[in-house]
Amino acid sequence: MAMITVDKVSKGFTLHNQGGVSLTVMRGASLSVAPGECVGLIGASGSGKSTLMRMIWGNYRTDGGSIRVGDVEVARAEPRRIIALRRGTLGYVSQFLRVVPRVPTLDVVAEPLRDLGMDAATARTRAAAMLTRLNIPERLWSLSPTTFSGGEQQRVNIARGFIHGWPALLLDEPTASLDAGNRAVVLELIREARDRGAAILGIFHDEDARAQVCDRVVDVTRFSAAA
Amino acid sequence: MSDYNFAYLDEQTKRMIRRALLKAVAVPGYQVPFASREMPMPYGWGTGGVQVTAACLTPEDTLKVIDQGADDTTNAVSIRKFFQRTAGVAVTERTSEASVIQTRHRIPETPLTEGQILVYQVPIPEPLRFLEPRETETRRMHALEEYGLMHVKLYEDIAKNGAIATSYAYPVKVEGRYVMDPSPIPKFDNPKLSGTPALQLFGAGREQRIYAIPPHTQVISLDFEDYPFEATKAPHPCDLCGDDGSYLDEVITDDAGGRMFVCSDTDHCESRRAAGHRGRMSPKENAA
Amino acid sequence: MSDTPLLTVEGITKTYGGRIGCAVVAFDLWPGEVMGIVGESGSGKSTLLGCLAGHLSPDAGRVVFDTRADGPRDVLAMSEPERRMLGRTDWAFVHQNPRDGLRMGVSAGGNVGERLMAVGARHYGQIRDQALDWLDRVEIAGDRIDDRPRQFSGGMQQRLQIARNLVNGPRLVFMDEPTGGLDVSVQARLLDLLRGLVRQMGLSAVIVTHDLAVVRLLADRLMVMKGGHVVEQGLTDQVLDDPQHAYTQLLVSSVLQV
């Protein structure tokens, strides 16, 4: 039984403020990811990898077809179902860190655990361990990550994305802008997640990384409406 | 007797006031609007009390008028004369002999008895006024019994002064329902409001409100569990009659720090002295 | 997951003479959910909030609230005492201008304590302890408890207003531009605070704002209004990142990037 199932999904954008242009970007996209499996999305820039990822996350609307994560039909679920899904079932490491400016890094990382009802002290302890593992120096923990360098922000994002054992994970370029040491840590985190049974779908431009963690790849170019 | 109608007001006006009084008695503590008349004295001099007194007086009544407990101050003297001229009623300074007592800022020390009427002059009848200036809103708050705000005032008092520093016009709850301003009587007098056999009527002339506490009505002063209500007075006995249980006025006697404390209720003080009680500063007995 | 919405809004319509304030607005709000309402000035979002919170009486519609005692009830059909009681217990309203939501002549402690006293608290020490606890939670130093709101900065006044509203654990909070009129740095602090409180207390909230950054950080769901009508609604990040309606697209693309 697959954890993530994408079935004949289509997606278009209508740009009302640019003359009402309608663009269909995806048609008939289908794939599935089983628990304990890591699948890589490949395809040229603009082929729709991120779009598909965002649709699974519920961030983009799905025009046709079905997307299931666990027992939730993401394409048609009420907002509160998607929020619950994101809280307990589906994790996401995006390329961008979006946080309230003054919140300390430690709390940013602990937040998903707090949302699940964990007490502050335990959540912070776990967050501290994760930050240590990702080589974020302790003196930065009390600062807001908005002031950090790109690589540091990315690692904070990853720490947040791996702080809880979500059964399904979406990874958008998790190893981009990381040095070799941290890259190795992230790949290890991905392998650990896979080994505990998470279904992982990722975009890796880093071919070597892809080869190390992905069980198979799906080329989204064939779903592209232009093709 | 003068050319005025009995007790100055015309009969229709007295009728209107009596109807308001009956409603006030029927709903203890509730402020009943009434069509207050222009009186031949300025607002603030007891126009509300005078109208209530006028509506209550009968030719057989004996009237006593006090101002801050005294029978001989300007306000008391002029109102007493007013009713002597316009109603021709008997007047007295003795609390026990009076059937109607109009008062400003005090309740007599002598316990009131059944059949007596105590009429209060009220400047501002709305206890919630200084916290909620909108009359529409305060009326709604009374109607819905939303009195949390009254405790906010007491809270502020404690926060600022370490104790409830409100010492006069101390808010009360009447018969478990309406919160009421007892007029600016000292809080020392508050316990006397409750359970008295006399009828207590309140008139606010400028604000056009009448309210009442019928005989034997429970009146409770608002407070906090950990800051209970206390009826306080200056911790001295009266320097003239020696009473240490009556409410006192402080009188400055010279510019070298000399002062004395005397009963604010002049009738009470004189009665005691007549009965032979003496205080610290009583004149030396001559040739006794 | 609960199967009874905390608030069900059906067909709320309010007109001013011939003008539409808001037209047939409907939504469900679930326990613990924060909904943002955005739109430009005059879009009807404040009218809608006023109708929901009982400050305005709508021409048509129902506002059904899941009361503690009797389950779902139409608030608009309640008697005034019941509605006002709800306003002091399970509901709270945070105004844009703290002056409208605070008693400016009453100390910070008295402002926070009022809702407690309104429902019968009569122990000064306990009221004060709770007020201190709440001042701390909204990051106002305890030694300011006896100061009046006048002596506070705008951001502190707004935090005090929040403490005053949340002190007796309401379940539903209406907020009208809660961060409007504040410096951006103060806004961030307030947003963080609100987020934390909403999560800790499991609050549901309806937040009206024209600031898309505020809803992105605070709201789970978003409703976009224009000319009194709801033109789009859904998950907040979905509406903002993949807007469907022409007006929403315009709104999102009009935000200046820093």
Side-chain angles (χ1 to χ4, degrees):
Chain A
M1 185 52 192
M3 186 68 201
I4 301 172
T5 311
V6 176
D7 188 29
K8 297 189 206 63
V9 159
S10 61
K11 174 67 185 166
F13 294 99
T14 303
L15 307 176
H16 293 284
N17 299 303
Q18 291 176 41
V21 184
S22 275
L23 305 168
T24 303
V25 298
M26 193 176 293
R27 199 178 282 148
S30 299
L31 63 84
S32 69
V33 186
E37 189 181 28
C38 179
V39 175
L41 290 179
I42 55 169
S45 271
S47 58
K49 301 186 295 292
S50 286
T51 301
L52 183 58
M53 201 83 123
R54 282 169 166 244
M55 284 158 76
I56 298 170
W57 177 240
N59 178 229
Y60 277 5
R61 204 171 287 228
T62 303
D63 295 337
S66 144
I67 296 177
R68 292 187 69 81
V69 178
D71 57 357
V72 177
E73 173 56 61
V74 176
R76 274 171 289 279
E78 286 179 68
R80 65 191 188 113
R81 304 277 169 205
I82 294 180
I83 287 164
L85 181 78
R86 291 174 179 181
R87 191 172 295 152
T89 309
L90 184 62
Y92 184 39
V93 176
S94 73
Q95 290 179 312
F96 308 100
L97 182 66
R98 199 168 240 146
V99 292
V100 179
R102 67 163 194 144
V103 181
T105 298
L106 193 61
D107 290 337
V108 167
V109 175
E111 192 180 19
L113 297 176
R114 298 280 287 129
D115 284 341
L116 284 161
M118 188 181 284
D119 68 276
T122 317
R124 286 210 181 100
T125 309
R126 300 241 321 242
M130 187 58 88
L131 285 167
T132 307
R133 196 166 167 195
L134 283 156
N135 302 310
I136 302 282
E138 190 169 349
R139 64 190 157 78
L140 297 181
W141 294 358
S142 59
L143 305 176
S144 165
T146 44
T147 55
F148 292 4
S149 72
E152 282 163 345
Q153 288 199 9
Q154 176 65 358
R155 277 180 279 147
V156 171
N157 225 359
I158 289 165
R160 208 176 132 93
F162 284 94
I163 191 75
H164 174 62
W166 286 283
L169 265 180
L170 303 174
L171 308 174
D172 193 352
E173 300 264 23
T175 55
S177 64
L178 294 184
D179 59 58
N182 284 311
R183 179 169 165 276
V185 175
V186 173
L187 293 178
E188 194 179 289
L189 282 169
I190 297 173
R191 275 193 294 266
E192 281 172 18
R194 192 186 56 189
D195 292 347
R196 67 166 159 74
I200 302 171
L201 185 66
I203 301 172
F204 304 90
H205 281 153
D206 174 351
E207 280 180 36
D208 176 54
R210 190 161 69 216
Q212 283 195 49
V213 294
C214 290
D215 299 306
R216 60 189 168 93
V217 295
V218 172
D219 187 349
V220 298
T221 315
R222 60 192 167 97
F223 308 140
S224 157
Chain B
M1 192 65 191
S2 65
D3 293 331
Y4 290 113
N5 187 38
F6 177 75
Y8 183 76
L9 292 176
D10 62 277
E11 292 305 313
Q12 283 306 315
T13 298
K14 285 196 274 186
R15 193 169 116 111
M16 174 271 292
I17 295 173
R18 286 177 194 139
R19 292 173 75 135
L21 286 169
L22 287 174
K23 182 166 181 182
V25 169
V27 191
Y30 170 71
Q31 298 168 49
V32 183
F34 80 110
S36 177
R37 298 294 195 244
E38 290 289 333
M39 297 302 285
M41 60 188 71
Y43 288 125
W45 285 66
T47 54
V50 164
Q51 290 179 77
V52 171
T53 300
C56 291
L57 277 181
T58 65
E60 296 74 37
D61 273 317
T62 303
L63 179 69
K64 169 182 163 83
V65 184
I66 50 174
D67 170 10
Q68 305 268 20
D71 292 86
D72 53 3
T73 52
T74 319
N75 195 226
V77 171
S78 62
I79 291 173
R80 191 162 58 229
K81 279 199 176 143
F82 175 77
F83 282 116
Q84 273 179 301
R85 276 182 62 190
T86 60
V89 292
V91 295
T92 181
E93 295 193 0
R94 291 262 173 274
T95 301
S96 54
E97 288 169 11
S99 56
V100 176
I101 303 169
Q102 181 170 335
T103 178
R104 174 173 173 267
H105 299 191
R106 273 311 308 277
I107 298 175
E109 303 289 354
T110 311
L112 301 175
T113 54
E114 198 168 318
Q116 286 185 307
I117 299 175
L118 185 60
V119 179
Y120 296 77
Q121 301 171 201
V122 181
I124 294 164
E126 180 49 72
L128 302 163
R129 175 70 49 84
F130 292 105
L131 294 151
E132 176 52 69
R134 292 168 295 177
E135 179 76 10
T136 47
E137 184 66 14
T138 54
R139 289 180 76 82
R140 194 171 287 136
M141 289 160 80
H142 281 295
L144 303 178
E145 244 184 303
E146 292 180 5
Y147 289 132
L149 202 51
M150 212 63 248
H151 273 86
V152 173
K153 181 176 186 290
L154 300 178
Y155 169 94
E156 290 291 287
D157 239 18
I158 303 172
K160 207 175 298 167
N161 305 300
I164 299 178
T166 302
S167 56
Y168 64 94
Y170 191 104
V172 295
K173 193 166 214 184
V174 182
E175 204 64 26
R177 177 59 180 84
Y178 284 95
V179 164
M180 188 193 94
D181 180 338
S183 87
I185 59 171
K187 67 176 170 184
F188 173 81
D189 282 344
N190 269 26
K192 295 185 222 162
L193 293 162
S194 189
T196 172
L199 171 64
Q200 303 175 81
L201 304 174
F202 298 77
R206 178 172 32 209
E207 301 256 351
Q208 313 199 333
R209 293 287 184 272
I210 281 171
Y211 50 101
I213 302 173
H216 309 291
T217 299
Q218 182 201 55
V219 179
I220 291 173
S221 303
L222 301 179
D223 62 2
F224 286 102
E225 288 158 19
D226 48 344
Y227 284 84
F229 170 81
E230 269 180 292
T232 53
K233 66 182 272 285
H236 298 274
C238 171
D239 285 334
L240 294 179
C241 76
D243 190 355
D244 57 5
S246 75
Y247 192 72
L248 301 173
D249 287 337
E250 182 179 1
V251 182
I252 308 292
T253 52
D254 55 37
D255 57 5
R259 55 184 182 162
M260 64 189 291
F261 290 93
V262 296
C263 291
S264 103
D265 185 336
T266 52
D267 169 52
H268 175 74
C269 199
E270 276 159 24
S271 306
R272 279 180 54 87
R273 276 179 279 155
H277 295 283
R278 293 293 178 268
R280 184 175 65 92
M281 294 170 79
S282 296
K284 289 282 166 285
E285 244 81 353
N286 299 332
Chain C
M1 197 176 282
S2 162
D3 285 324
T4 310
L6 186 68
L7 190 73
T8 300
V9 174
E10 294 168 3
I12 289 294
T13 302
K14 171 84 180 166
T15 54
Y16 301 103
R19 254 171 232 277
I20 293 174
C22 61
V24 283
V25 177
F27 65 87
D28 285 333
L29 186 71
W30 301 87
E33 211 172 32
V34 177
M35 191 174 81
I37 304 177
V38 296
E40 60 200 359
S41 304
S43 61
K45 56 192 198 298
S46 294
T47 296
L48 175 62
L49 192 72
C51 288
L52 300 182
H55 300 168
L56 297 170
S57 52
D59 304 329
R62 300 192 335 137
V63 177
V64 179
F65 179 70
D66 185 18
T67 62
R68 283 181 216 241
D70 309 315
R73 290 192 54 199
D74 184 0
V75 177
L76 301 175
M78 280 185 184
S79 67
E80 192 179 3
E82 281 181 297
R83 210 164 44 227
R84 283 173 69 111
M85 180 54 101
L86 202 58
R88 303 197 285 276
T89 53
D90 267 353
W91 286 20
F93 195 103
V94 175
H95 294 264
Q96 172 174 12
N97 188 340
R99 265 164 236 286
D100 297 330
L102 290 171
R103 291 193 190 277
M104 298 305 282
V106 168
S107 70
N111 264 294
V112 177
E114 183 175 343
R115 271 172 84 103
L116 299 172
M117 292 182 250
V119 293
R122 292 293 178 264
H123 191 284
Y124 175 83
Q126 288 166 6
I127 293 166
R128 204 165 165 83
D129 287 347
Q130 283 206 54
L132 277 169
D133 176 43
W134 267 94
L135 290 181
D136 182 53
R137 289 169 80 164
V138 299
E139 300 166 16
I140 294 175
D143 61 4
R144 304 299 303 270
I145 188 170
D146 294 329
D147 291 346
R148 295 184 176 187
R150 268 186 245 296
Q151 294 157 267
F152 289 1
S153 67
M156 279 172 80
Q157 288 183 1
Q158 198 58 298
R159 280 179 275 136
L160 180 63
Q161 195 194 175
I162 287 162
R164 169 181 160 87
N165 271 288
L166 300 189
V167 64
N168 61 347
R171 292 191 293 153
L172 176 61
V173 187
F174 298 102
M175 299 191 203
D176 187 6
E177 303 273 11
T179 60
L182 298 177
D183 290 341
V184 278
S185 60
V186 178
Q187 272 191 21
R189 186 174 183 190
L190 191 72
L191 285 176
D192 173 38
L193 185 82
L194 279 173
R195 250 159 68 105
L197 290 172
V198 163
R199 179 176 56 207
Q200 283 164 28
M201 302 176 72
L203 285 176
S204 301
V206 178
I207 300 176
V208 159
T209 180
H210 60 260
D211 189 337
L212 297 183
V214 168
V215 290
R216 186 180 287 273
L217 291 172
L218 271 186
D220 303 314
R221 283 165 61 194
L222 191 57
M223 200 156 96
V224 183
M225 290 189 73
K226 179 174 168 48
H229 295 268
V230 176
V231 296
E232 184 164 355
Q233 57 176 321
L235 198 64
T236 300
D237 59 281
Q238 193 179 74
V239 173
L240 294 179
D241 294 339
D242 186 15
Q244 306 292 309
H245 190 274
Y247 177 69
T248 317
Q249 290 185 356
L250 181 67
L251 204 64
V252 171
S253 63
S254 305
V255 176
L256 297 175
Q257 299 292 330
V258 200

